[in-house]
Short mmCIF file of all heavy atoms in Angstrom, two decimals:
data_model
loop_
_atom_site.label_atom_id
_atom_site.label_comp_id
_atom_site.label_asym_id
_atom_site.label_seq_id
_atom_site.Cartn_x
_atom_site.Cartn_y
_atom_site.Cartn_z
N ALA A 1 0.73 12.63 6.63
CA ALA A 1 -0.23 11.66 6.13
C ALA A 1 -0.18 11.78 4.58
O ALA A 1 -1.01 12.47 4.00
CB ALA A 1 -1.64 11.92 6.69
N ILE A 2 0.78 11.15 3.99
CA ILE A 2 1.04 11.23 2.56
C ILE A 2 0.41 10.08 1.82
O ILE A 2 0.44 8.94 2.31
CB ILE A 2 2.54 11.32 2.31
CG1 ILE A 2 3.15 12.56 2.92
CG2 ILE A 2 2.84 11.25 0.79
CD1 ILE A 2 4.68 12.63 2.87
N SER A 3 -0.16 10.36 0.67
CA SER A 3 -0.71 9.32 -0.18
C SER A 3 0.03 9.37 -1.53
O SER A 3 0.36 10.43 -2.02
CB SER A 3 -2.21 9.54 -0.43
OG SER A 3 -2.90 9.49 0.78
N ASN A 4 0.26 8.18 -2.12
CA ASN A 4 0.89 8.09 -3.40
C ASN A 4 0.08 7.18 -4.31
O ASN A 4 -0.19 6.05 -3.91
CB ASN A 4 2.31 7.53 -3.27
CG ASN A 4 3.08 7.48 -4.55
OD1 ASN A 4 2.68 7.96 -5.54
ND2 ASN A 4 4.28 6.85 -4.46
N PRO A 5 -0.39 7.64 -5.46
CA PRO A 5 -0.09 8.91 -6.07
C PRO A 5 -1.03 10.05 -5.68
O PRO A 5 -0.72 11.20 -5.90
CB PRO A 5 -0.27 8.61 -7.58
CG PRO A 5 -1.35 7.60 -7.62
CD PRO A 5 -1.17 6.77 -6.39
N ALA A 6 -2.19 9.70 -5.10
CA ALA A 6 -3.21 10.74 -4.78
C ALA A 6 -3.94 10.39 -3.53
O ALA A 6 -4.08 9.19 -3.17
CB ALA A 6 -4.17 10.88 -5.98
N PHE A 7 -4.49 11.42 -2.88
CA PHE A 7 -5.27 11.23 -1.69
C PHE A 7 -6.43 10.26 -1.90
O PHE A 7 -6.85 9.51 -1.00
CB PHE A 7 -5.80 12.59 -1.21
CG PHE A 7 -6.55 12.51 0.10
CD1 PHE A 7 -5.89 12.47 1.30
CD2 PHE A 7 -7.95 12.43 0.08
CE1 PHE A 7 -6.59 12.36 2.50
CE2 PHE A 7 -8.66 12.34 1.29
CZ PHE A 7 -7.99 12.30 2.50
N GLU A 8 -6.94 10.24 -3.09
CA GLU A 8 -8.09 9.43 -3.42
C GLU A 8 -7.82 7.94 -3.25
O GLU A 8 -8.78 7.15 -3.15
CB GLU A 8 -8.61 9.72 -4.82
CG GLU A 8 -9.40 11.01 -4.95
CD GLU A 8 -8.52 12.27 -4.93
OE1 GLU A 8 -7.27 12.14 -4.95
OE2 GLU A 8 -9.07 13.38 -4.87
N TYR A 9 -6.52 7.55 -3.16
CA TYR A 9 -6.27 6.14 -2.85
C TYR A 9 -6.86 5.78 -1.49
O TYR A 9 -7.39 4.67 -1.35
CB TYR A 9 -4.77 5.90 -2.87
CG TYR A 9 -4.35 4.49 -2.55
CD1 TYR A 9 -4.76 3.41 -3.37
CD2 TYR A 9 -3.58 4.17 -1.46
CE1 TYR A 9 -4.42 2.12 -3.06
CE2 TYR A 9 -3.25 2.85 -1.15
CZ TYR A 9 -3.65 1.82 -1.93
OH TYR A 9 -3.31 0.53 -1.65
N TRP A 10 -6.82 6.68 -0.55
CA TRP A 10 -7.44 6.48 0.78
C TRP A 10 -8.95 6.19 0.60
O TRP A 10 -9.50 5.29 1.19
CB TRP A 10 -7.19 7.63 1.70
CG TRP A 10 -8.07 7.68 2.92
CD1 TRP A 10 -9.02 8.61 3.22
CD2 TRP A 10 -8.07 6.75 3.98
NE1 TRP A 10 -9.60 8.30 4.43
CE2 TRP A 10 -9.01 7.18 4.94
CE3 TRP A 10 -7.31 5.63 4.29
CZ2 TRP A 10 -9.29 6.48 6.11
CZ3 TRP A 10 -7.57 4.96 5.51
CH2 TRP A 10 -8.56 5.36 6.40
N PHE A 11 -9.62 6.98 -0.26
CA PHE A 11 -11.03 6.75 -0.54
C PHE A 11 -11.25 5.36 -1.15
O PHE A 11 -12.17 4.66 -0.75
CB PHE A 11 -11.60 7.82 -1.47
CG PHE A 11 -11.64 9.22 -0.90
CD1 PHE A 11 -11.81 10.27 -1.73
CD2 PHE A 11 -11.58 9.45 0.46
CE1 PHE A 11 -11.87 11.57 -1.26
CE2 PHE A 11 -11.63 10.70 0.99
CZ PHE A 11 -11.79 11.80 0.12
N LEU A 12 -10.44 4.99 -2.10
CA LEU A 12 -10.58 3.71 -2.77
C LEU A 12 -10.50 2.55 -1.79
O LEU A 12 -11.24 1.58 -1.89
CB LEU A 12 -9.55 3.56 -3.88
CG LEU A 12 -9.55 2.26 -4.66
CD1 LEU A 12 -10.87 2.10 -5.41
CD2 LEU A 12 -8.38 2.24 -5.62
N LEU A 13 -9.65 2.67 -0.79
CA LEU A 13 -9.45 1.59 0.19
C LEU A 13 -10.68 1.40 1.05
O LEU A 13 -10.78 0.38 1.75
CB LEU A 13 -8.23 1.85 1.03
CG LEU A 13 -6.90 1.74 0.31
CD1 LEU A 13 -5.73 2.15 1.17
CD2 LEU A 13 -6.67 0.37 -0.26
N HIS A 14 -11.66 2.27 1.00
CA HIS A 14 -12.93 2.05 1.70
C HIS A 14 -13.78 1.02 1.03
O HIS A 14 -14.71 0.48 1.60
CB HIS A 14 -13.71 3.37 1.79
CG HIS A 14 -13.16 4.38 2.77
ND1 HIS A 14 -11.98 5.02 2.52
CD2 HIS A 14 -13.60 4.79 3.96
CE1 HIS A 14 -11.75 5.83 3.55
NE2 HIS A 14 -12.75 5.72 4.46
N PHE A 15 -13.46 0.71 -0.25
CA PHE A 15 -14.24 -0.20 -1.04
C PHE A 15 -13.54 -1.49 -1.43
O PHE A 15 -14.19 -2.51 -1.62
CB PHE A 15 -14.74 0.49 -2.37
CG PHE A 15 -15.49 1.74 -2.07
CD1 PHE A 15 -14.90 2.99 -2.12
CD2 PHE A 15 -16.85 1.62 -1.73
CE1 PHE A 15 -15.66 4.12 -1.83
CE2 PHE A 15 -17.57 2.83 -1.40
CZ PHE A 15 -16.98 4.05 -1.49
N THR A 16 -12.22 -1.39 -1.53
CA THR A 16 -11.49 -2.55 -2.02
C THR A 16 -10.04 -2.53 -1.47
O THR A 16 -9.49 -1.43 -1.24
CB THR A 16 -11.49 -2.62 -3.54
OG1 THR A 16 -10.87 -3.84 -3.95
CG2 THR A 16 -10.75 -1.43 -4.17
N LYS A 17 -9.48 -3.68 -1.35
CA LYS A 17 -8.06 -3.77 -0.98
C LYS A 17 -7.30 -3.96 -2.23
O LYS A 17 -7.47 -5.02 -2.93
CB LYS A 17 -7.89 -4.94 -0.01
CG LYS A 17 -6.47 -5.11 0.52
CD LYS A 17 -6.41 -6.38 1.33
CE LYS A 17 -5.58 -6.19 2.53
NZ LYS A 17 -5.61 -7.33 3.40
N THR A 18 -6.51 -2.98 -2.59
CA THR A 18 -5.73 -3.11 -3.81
C THR A 18 -4.32 -2.56 -3.63
O THR A 18 -4.15 -1.48 -2.99
CB THR A 18 -6.41 -2.43 -5.02
OG1 THR A 18 -5.58 -2.57 -6.19
CG2 THR A 18 -6.63 -0.92 -4.78
N ASP A 19 -3.37 -3.26 -4.13
CA ASP A 19 -1.98 -2.72 -4.12
C ASP A 19 -1.50 -2.49 -5.52
O ASP A 19 -0.31 -2.41 -5.81
CB ASP A 19 -1.04 -3.64 -3.32
CG ASP A 19 -1.01 -5.04 -3.88
OD1 ASP A 19 -1.66 -5.31 -4.89
OD2 ASP A 19 -0.30 -5.89 -3.29
N ALA A 20 -2.41 -2.43 -6.49
CA ALA A 20 -2.03 -2.14 -7.87
C ALA A 20 -1.59 -0.70 -8.00
O ALA A 20 -2.17 0.20 -7.46
CB ALA A 20 -3.25 -2.37 -8.80
N SER A 21 -0.44 -0.51 -8.64
CA SER A 21 0.07 0.84 -8.77
C SER A 21 -0.77 1.65 -9.77
O SER A 21 -1.41 1.08 -10.65
CB SER A 21 1.55 0.86 -9.20
OG SER A 21 1.70 0.26 -10.45
N PHE A 22 -0.69 2.98 -9.63
CA PHE A 22 -1.44 3.87 -10.50
C PHE A 22 -0.44 4.87 -11.09
O PHE A 22 0.39 5.40 -10.40
CB PHE A 22 -2.51 4.63 -9.69
CG PHE A 22 -3.49 3.72 -9.07
CD1 PHE A 22 -3.37 3.32 -7.73
CD2 PHE A 22 -4.60 3.29 -9.79
CE1 PHE A 22 -4.28 2.45 -7.17
CE2 PHE A 22 -5.53 2.43 -9.20
CZ PHE A 22 -5.37 2.00 -7.88
N SER A 23 -0.58 5.09 -12.40
CA SER A 23 0.36 6.01 -13.06
C SER A 23 0.17 7.43 -12.61
O SER A 23 1.14 8.18 -12.55
CB SER A 23 0.25 5.92 -14.59
OG SER A 23 -1.07 6.22 -14.98
N ASP A 24 -1.03 7.82 -12.26
CA ASP A 24 -1.31 9.17 -11.85
C ASP A 24 -2.71 9.27 -11.27
O ASP A 24 -3.43 8.23 -11.16
CB ASP A 24 -1.14 10.19 -13.00
CG ASP A 24 -2.01 9.86 -14.20
OD1 ASP A 24 -3.03 9.11 -14.07
OD2 ASP A 24 -1.72 10.35 -15.30
N TYR A 25 -3.15 10.48 -10.95
CA TYR A 25 -4.48 10.65 -10.37
C TYR A 25 -5.55 10.16 -11.32
O TYR A 25 -6.51 9.50 -10.87
CB TYR A 25 -4.70 12.14 -10.03
CG TYR A 25 -6.15 12.43 -9.78
CD1 TYR A 25 -6.73 12.08 -8.57
CD2 TYR A 25 -6.96 13.02 -10.75
CE1 TYR A 25 -8.09 12.28 -8.35
CE2 TYR A 25 -8.28 13.26 -10.54
CZ TYR A 25 -8.84 12.88 -9.33
OH TYR A 25 -10.20 13.09 -9.10
N ASN A 26 -5.47 10.46 -12.58
CA ASN A 26 -6.50 10.05 -13.52
C ASN A 26 -6.69 8.55 -13.58
O ASN A 26 -7.81 8.04 -13.67
CB ASN A 26 -6.17 10.59 -14.92
CG ASN A 26 -6.23 12.13 -14.96
OD1 ASN A 26 -7.01 12.74 -14.25
ND2 ASN A 26 -5.39 12.73 -15.78
N ASP A 27 -5.59 7.84 -13.53
CA ASP A 27 -5.61 6.35 -13.47
C ASP A 27 -6.35 5.87 -12.24
O ASP A 27 -7.23 4.99 -12.31
CB ASP A 27 -4.18 5.85 -13.51
CG ASP A 27 -4.06 4.36 -13.76
OD1 ASP A 27 -4.98 3.76 -14.33
OD2 ASP A 27 -3.02 3.81 -13.36
N LEU A 28 -6.04 6.48 -11.12
CA LEU A 28 -6.69 6.09 -9.84
C LEU A 28 -8.15 6.49 -9.86
O LEU A 28 -9.05 5.73 -9.42
CB LEU A 28 -5.96 6.79 -8.71
CG LEU A 28 -6.56 6.65 -7.30
CD1 LEU A 28 -6.45 5.21 -6.85
CD2 LEU A 28 -5.83 7.59 -6.35
N GLU A 29 -8.49 7.69 -10.38
CA GLU A 29 -9.86 8.14 -10.39
C GLU A 29 -10.76 7.20 -11.16
O GLU A 29 -11.92 6.97 -10.76
CB GLU A 29 -9.91 9.55 -11.01
CG GLU A 29 -11.32 10.14 -11.03
CD GLU A 29 -11.43 11.45 -11.76
OE1 GLU A 29 -10.78 11.57 -12.86
OE2 GLU A 29 -12.13 12.33 -11.29
N LYS A 30 -10.28 6.64 -12.26
CA LYS A 30 -11.10 5.71 -13.06
C LYS A 30 -11.54 4.50 -12.19
O LYS A 30 -12.72 4.09 -12.25
CB LYS A 30 -10.27 5.19 -14.24
CG LYS A 30 -10.13 6.21 -15.33
CD LYS A 30 -9.24 5.66 -16.42
CE LYS A 30 -8.78 6.78 -17.35
NZ LYS A 30 -7.73 6.37 -18.26
N VAL A 31 -10.64 3.99 -11.37
CA VAL A 31 -10.95 2.85 -10.51
C VAL A 31 -11.90 3.32 -9.37
O VAL A 31 -12.89 2.64 -9.05
CB VAL A 31 -9.66 2.23 -9.92
CG1 VAL A 31 -9.98 1.08 -8.99
CG2 VAL A 31 -8.74 1.73 -11.05
N LEU A 32 -11.62 4.48 -8.78
CA LEU A 32 -12.48 5.00 -7.70
C LEU A 32 -13.90 5.19 -8.22
O LEU A 32 -14.85 4.88 -7.51
CB LEU A 32 -11.91 6.33 -7.18
CG LEU A 32 -12.70 6.95 -6.08
CD1 LEU A 32 -12.82 6.05 -4.84
CD2 LEU A 32 -12.09 8.29 -5.68
N LYS A 33 -14.04 5.66 -9.42
CA LYS A 33 -15.37 5.92 -9.97
C LYS A 33 -16.19 4.66 -10.21
O LYS A 33 -17.39 4.76 -10.39
CB LYS A 33 -15.30 6.81 -11.23
CG LYS A 33 -15.00 8.25 -10.88
CD LYS A 33 -15.24 9.17 -12.08
CE LYS A 33 -15.20 10.62 -11.60
NZ LYS A 33 -15.67 11.50 -12.63
N THR A 34 -15.55 3.48 -10.17
CA THR A 34 -16.35 2.25 -10.25
C THR A 34 -17.09 2.06 -8.94
O THR A 34 -18.05 1.28 -8.92
CB THR A 34 -15.46 1.03 -10.59
OG1 THR A 34 -14.54 0.78 -9.52
CG2 THR A 34 -14.72 1.23 -11.89
N HIS A 35 -16.64 2.69 -7.92
CA HIS A 35 -17.30 2.62 -6.57
C HIS A 35 -18.08 3.84 -6.22
O HIS A 35 -19.04 3.78 -5.48
CB HIS A 35 -16.27 2.32 -5.48
CG HIS A 35 -15.44 1.12 -5.72
ND1 HIS A 35 -15.94 -0.15 -5.44
CD2 HIS A 35 -14.21 0.95 -6.24
CE1 HIS A 35 -15.00 -1.02 -5.80
NE2 HIS A 35 -13.96 -0.40 -6.26
N MET A 36 -17.64 4.97 -6.71
CA MET A 36 -18.27 6.29 -6.47
C MET A 36 -18.41 7.00 -7.83
O MET A 36 -17.62 7.87 -8.12
CB MET A 36 -17.41 7.12 -5.49
CG MET A 36 -17.22 6.49 -4.12
SD MET A 36 -16.07 7.37 -3.09
CE MET A 36 -16.96 8.86 -2.72
N ALA A 37 -19.40 6.61 -8.56
CA ALA A 37 -19.53 7.05 -9.94
C ALA A 37 -19.53 8.58 -10.11
O ALA A 37 -18.99 9.07 -11.09
CB ALA A 37 -20.82 6.49 -10.55
N ASN A 38 -20.10 9.31 -9.15
CA ASN A 38 -20.19 10.75 -9.28
C ASN A 38 -19.10 11.50 -8.53
O ASN A 38 -19.22 12.71 -8.29
CB ASN A 38 -21.57 11.21 -8.75
CG ASN A 38 -22.68 10.64 -9.60
OD1 ASN A 38 -22.57 10.54 -10.83
ND2 ASN A 38 -23.79 10.32 -8.98
N TYR A 39 -18.01 10.78 -8.17
CA TYR A 39 -16.95 11.44 -7.42
C TYR A 39 -16.41 12.63 -8.23
O TYR A 39 -16.17 12.54 -9.44
CB TYR A 39 -15.79 10.47 -7.08
CG TYR A 39 -14.70 11.18 -6.38
CD1 TYR A 39 -14.81 11.53 -5.06
CD2 TYR A 39 -13.52 11.56 -7.07
CE1 TYR A 39 -13.81 12.23 -4.39
CE2 TYR A 39 -12.52 12.25 -6.40
CZ TYR A 39 -12.68 12.60 -5.07
OH TYR A 39 -11.69 13.29 -4.40
#
């Protein structure tokens, strides 16, 4: 059960459907925090 670039992409998909690529975890985390501010 592999995620690219980070496991948090699975979390993000709970809030939005996105196929935008992410350069790294930090890039993904910024988007995730728009849904889970205190993640």
Side-chain angles (χ1 to χ4, degrees):
I2 297 173
S3 299
N4 184 6
F7 183 82
E8 284 76 7
Y9 179 62
W10 166 246
F11 293 163
L12 180 61
L13 291 174
H14 286 72
F15 302 99
T16 187
K17 183 184 219 174
T18 180
D19 59 2
S21 63
F22 300 95
S23 59
D24 57 19
Y25 166 77
N26 294 327
D27 190 25
L28 175 67
E29 182 186 41
K30 288 176 193 167
V31 178
L32 179 61
K33 283 192 170 193
T34 65
H35 302 281
M36 297 174 70
N38 296 323
Y39 178 75

